[in-house]
Amino acid sequence: LVAYTDAPVVDALATATRNPARLIGRDDLGVLAPGARADVVVLDDGLVPRHVMIGGRWTRQPGPPAP
């Protein structure tokens, strides 16, 4: 979304996470907050996934190794 629309990263993340969750009535998804489901993707400066948390547990590091 960022690459195609030049949208700020914050707005692109909300468009892909919080907004759809709210649309389906799921306040526990799409946010980092106490009691929310802990599914997280940590991106580097190039927006490449570096770390993934699913259900509150870190998985293996995806993608190519960091330089």
Side-chain angles (χ1 to χ4, degrees):
L1 188 58
V2 172
Y4 295 108
T5 66
D6 291 325
V9 172
V10 172
D11 293 341
L13 288 173
T15 298
T17 59
R18 184 184 64 224
N19 296 349
R22 286 186 177 165
L23 183 65
I24 63 169
R26 294 291 305 268
D27 292 333
D28 62 324
L29 299 177
V31 294
L32 295 176
R37 182 173 166 82
D39 291 346
V40 178
V41 177
V42 179
L43 306 173
D44 67 14
D45 290 339
L47 303 178
V48 174
R50 292 296 174 192
H51 303 284
V52 177
M53 178 184 283
I54 299 173
R57 302 185 128 202
W58 290 106
T59 65
R60 68 178 184 81
Q61 182 173 325

